[in-house]
Amino acid sequence: MPTFVYMTRCDGCGHCVDICPSDIMHIDKTYRRAYNIEPNMCWECYSCVKACPQHAIDVRGYADFAPLGHSVRVHRDEQKGTIAWRIKFRNGTEKNFLSPITTKPWGQAIPKLAEVPAPSKEMRDSELLYNEPKYIRLDDGGLRTLESAGLKLKMGVYY
Amino acid sequence: MFTSNPFAALSASLSPAVMQAYVVVMFILVIAGTLFDVVHKGSARYFFENFRRSKAKAARPVGGGEALSIAVQTAVVDVLASGEFCNPRRRIAHLLGMYGFVLYVLATVVLVFNASASPIWTQLWWLGGLMICVGGYWFWFFIRVDVAAEGNSPFRLVKADLFILSLLASATLGLLWAASGGGVGVLFGLYILATTVLFAGVPWSKFAHMFFKPAAAFEKRVSEANGTAANLPTQTRDDPEQRARHSMELLRDAPMDMGLGIKREAPRHY
């Protein structure tokens, strides 16, 4: 379900171009509005949809169910710290979700790679990705479980 | 220079009736061009169909009093304060251009139709023209997204630039013409040419946005009030019932205004 831009709503601010992990959101040279240059390469991550201040970006549904009136729209409210979803099913059912934004500031939860020792030659030659052993706990500590992390399983979605 | 009416001085070589007729023709061209634009693009039909659809799907009806209040909010926030812009620099540039254009046009009409108008109108004409130039050139050279972000040359022209370029040319050439002493000459000819393109080019430029943008902003606010909101979510943390949901536990004690996140920085990371 790649994204597309309603050009009449877009004001060409560039937030979607900035955030797209696939670098496929660009500014049209003629109309100066954003557009998805390569829908086939869209990861469907919704980053641009959430970042657009004008709600000018939507997601094109698959052809087998899109014409039947479904809708999946999202509103990311930074000031209130929430992200809200409104899902309309093709039979008219509507579901609404409201959750906290869990994006962490740069440098807080995401490691600063500049401060991490560079990979050794042995690591470079290994088939494992950089830092991979640490993430999958092959180096030390055994399997990561809720218990080892001091957590308890709770009902429902829990942050 | 700032107190003498440049159009009064021009009347020695050009009859005031000709100047007044030109202003009336430009006015008619704007009305005709806007109507042509509305019919050609079907924007009014689209607007009313959209409005009717939104009304039919409304979760709650919007009464006459509320609609009036929404109209006032649209006029004050979206029209008079250019509230739709999320980039503050673009908003300031737009406000300068918009109020400059209003002053410039209004003062031109007063000065053309009343040769003995108070010098304050000449000063307002100058102020309006300068505001257009400051806002317009700032936008053209520094804020335009393809120049600021995509790195295109500011001298790359496309058809979409017709409005901003003819507006800037009209204001700049008008001020240069008045500063050089007025009268009929090359500068005057270029000034009239740019002004004619500005007002006669409505069907091909974005001049008509000053008429349809307020209508679109009003429709957007009405759809938010009646619950359709173009299918966007309407639940917010302001609602105590939503705050009590278990999915919101993380934000239970968080302040209602948590400040900006990714929008804290201008989008220039690409």
Side-chain angles (χ1 to χ4, degrees):
Chain A
M1 298 198 291
T3 60
F4 68 97
V5 179
Y6 291 111
M7 284 225 176
T8 49
R9 287 187 202 158
C10 174
D11 74 352
C13 71
H15 272 293
C16 57
V17 186
D18 211 21
I19 208 156
C20 177
S22 204
D23 195 23
I24 55 173
M25 296 305 292
H26 279 249
I27 301 290
D28 184 276
K29 276 190 185 319
T30 305
Y31 298 107
R32 305 205 175 96
R33 301 287 180 266
Y35 75 120
N36 187 334
I37 61 164
E38 188 47 82
N40 284 348
M41 301 303 285
C42 180
W43 301 5
E44 306 165 17
C45 70
Y46 269 83
S47 294
C48 59
V49 182
K50 292 174 192 168
C52 178
Q54 306 289 354
H55 299 116
I57 310 181
D58 209 342
V59 174
R60 196 183 302 283
Y62 291 117
D64 53 350
F65 66 90
L68 297 172
H70 89 296
S71 160
V72 181
R73 301 212 70 186
V74 61
H75 173 56
R76 187 177 191 273
D77 190 338
E78 292 190 344
Q79 261 129 336
K80 292 208 168 59
T82 57
I83 189 141
W85 293 86
R86 187 175 178 185
I87 321 281
K88 276 189 168 179
F89 291 76
R90 48 188 169 157
N91 66 359
T93 309
E94 190 176 314
K95 288 193 183 291
N96 284 279
F97 302 96
L98 188 71
S99 320
I101 294 173
T102 51
T103 311
K104 304 293 187 295
W106 284 103
Q108 188 178 310
I110 301 162
K112 286 184 179 170
L113 288 178
E115 293 168 7
V116 181
S120 62
K121 186 174 183 313
E122 187 187 315
M123 284 167 82
R124 283 181 190 280
D125 293 340
S126 153
E127 64 183 22
L128 296 172
L129 297 173
Y130 178 54
N131 267 342
E132 190 175 336
K134 217 183 291 174
Y135 292 141
I136 57 172
R137 311 289 299 205
L138 288 178
D139 53 343
D140 58 352
L143 284 176
R144 189 180 278 261
T145 61
L146 281 177
E147 207 170 79
S148 69
L151 299 170
K152 279 184 193 162
L153 185 65
K154 297 195 181 187
M155 292 295 286
V157 180
Y158 191 81
Y159 296 94
Chain B
M1 187 168 77
F2 296 110
T3 51
S4 62
N5 180 347
F7 301 101
L10 184 66
S11 60
S13 42
L14 200 65
S15 154
V18 174
M19 289 192 271
Q20 289 165 9
Y22 176 80
V23 171
V24 172
V25 168
M26 291 302 112
F27 182 74
I28 292 169
L29 279 175
V30 169
I31 301 290
T34 306
L35 289 176
F36 174 78
D37 199 47
V38 164
V39 173
H40 176 65
K41 289 181 185 156
S43 48
R45 199 178 60 223
Y46 171 78
F47 172 75
F48 285 114
E49 271 176 18
N50 217 23
F51 203 77
R52 230 184 345 261
R53 245 198 323 265
S54 157
K55 211 173 163 184
K57 286 183 191 165
R60 64 178 203 84
V62 174
E66 198 180 352
L68 187 69
S69 146
I70 291 171
V72 172
Q73 279 176 39
T74 308
V76 173
V77 179
D78 297 319
V79 179
L80 297 178
S82 300
E84 281 201 304
F85 287 100
C86 52
N87 178 347
R89 294 199 315 155
R90 276 189 71 180
R91 190 172 178 179
I92 295 167
H94 189 265
L95 285 170
L96 280 169
M98 181 174 77
Y99 285 109
F101 179 72
V102 171
L103 281 180
Y104 181 70
V105 170
L106 202 64
T108 305
V109 172
V110 170
L111 293 175
V112 166
F113 280 84
N114 181 11
S116 56
S118 158
I120 189 84
W121 284 106
T122 309
Q123 285 153 6
L124 286 176
W125 185 81
W126 273 94
L127 179 67
L130 287 171
M131 281 168 71
I132 293 174
C133 290
V134 171
Y137 286 116
W138 186 25
F139 168 77
W140 184 259
F141 286 108
F142 303 104
I143 307 178
R144 244 174 352 131
V145 70
D146 58 334
V147 173
E150 295 273 300
N152 291 337
S153 162
F155 300 104
R156 184 182 158 273
L157 309 180
V158 292
K159 192 181 149 192
D161 301 324
L162 186 67
F163 173 66
I164 178 74
L165 281 184
S166 56
L167 176 64
L168 275 175
S170 170
T172 310
L173 291 165
L175 297 184
L176 287 175
W177 163 72
S180 65
V184 177
V186 176
L187 270 179
F188 179 71
L190 291 173
Y191 165 49
I192 292 300
L193 177 70
T195 309
T196 310
V197 170
L198 173 65
F199 293 114
V202 173
W204 302 279
S205 78
K206 61 170 284 181
F207 192 104
H209 80 280
M210 61 184 74
F211 305 108
F212 65 72
K213 273 280 184 186
F218 175 72
E219 195 264 325
K220 191 174 164 186
R221 282 182 182 271
V222 169
S223 77
E224 277 166 15
N226 71 18
T228 52
N231 282 338
L232 281 164
T234 50
Q235 291 183 343
T236 67
R237 250 180 93 205
D238 300 313
D239 181 359
E241 196 185 321
Q242 298 304 322
R243 273 206 300 279
R245 277 163 79 147
H246 79 272
S247 67
M248 296 296 289
E249 194 164 306
L250 194 68
L251 295 179
R252 191 140 297 160
D253 303 318
M256 199 51 85
D257 186 353
M258 299 176 68
L260 290 177
I262 58 165
K263 294 187 180 77
R264 196 180 299 144
E265 292 176 48
R268 285 186 173 202
H269 303 114
Y270 51 94

